Amino acid sequence: SLRDLIDLVSEFQERGVDFVSLQDGINTATATGRFTFNIFASLAEFEREIIRERTNAGLAAAKARGRRGGQGALRRWQQVCRGDSQDSGHRKGNVLSLHPKRR
């Protein structure tokens, strides 16, 4: 997690070890590198929280409309058996091809 990465880099600094990311050009031996590392860490945390907020808002909106997440395995299986699946490859005659016999 992000918190673990920040703690790890802090522990490295306490031991006199600098973190250098060759791919991102971050070097915590310099003030600019520490600043860049902290900015990236803050942006990553911000992005994760925004995604969580949007996901929760979407789930709440769906719940308000009477919907719930997922279709459920039993319901999907019943649709396939009846042949009313929207996927043209899942017709009544193809049920066995979806769930081959166990040997």
Side-chain angles (χ1 to χ4, degrees):
S1 75
L2 178 62
R3 184 76 250 161
D4 293 334
L5 178 62
I6 292 171
D7 291 342
L8 185 63
V9 170
S10 297
E11 186 177 329
F12 285 164
Q13 286 179 337
E14 289 172 6
R15 294 180 182 195
V17 177
D18 294 317
F19 174 79
V20 178
S21 172
L22 301 176
Q23 184 176 4
D24 301 318
I26 299 172
N27 181 355
T28 61
T30 66
T32 304
R34 285 188 298 276
F35 175 75
T36 304
F37 175 79
N38 287 317
I39 290 294
F40 283 166
S42 296
L43 288 173
E45 184 177 5
F46 173 73
E47 181 180 20
R48 189 177 67 231
E49 289 179 14
I50 290 295
I51 290 170
R52 184 180 303 125
E53 287 176 6
R54 289 179 180 167
T55 299
N56 289 336
L59 290 171
K63 187 176 182 179
R65 291 190 312 266
R67 306 275 305 177
R68 60 185 187 123
Q71 189 175 52
L74 179 61
R75 182 170 172 221
R76 176 74 178 136
W77 177 245
Q78 289 169 342
Q79 285 178 339
V80 170
C81 289
R82 283 194 314 261
D84 59 353
S85 174
Q86 292 180 2
D87 186 353
S88 61
H90 297 162
R91 297 217 192 295
K92 198 171 192 175
N94 296 337
V95 172
L96 293 178
S97 67
L98 292 173
H99 301 282
K101 220 183 247 188
R102 293 186 182 158
R103 296 178 186 195

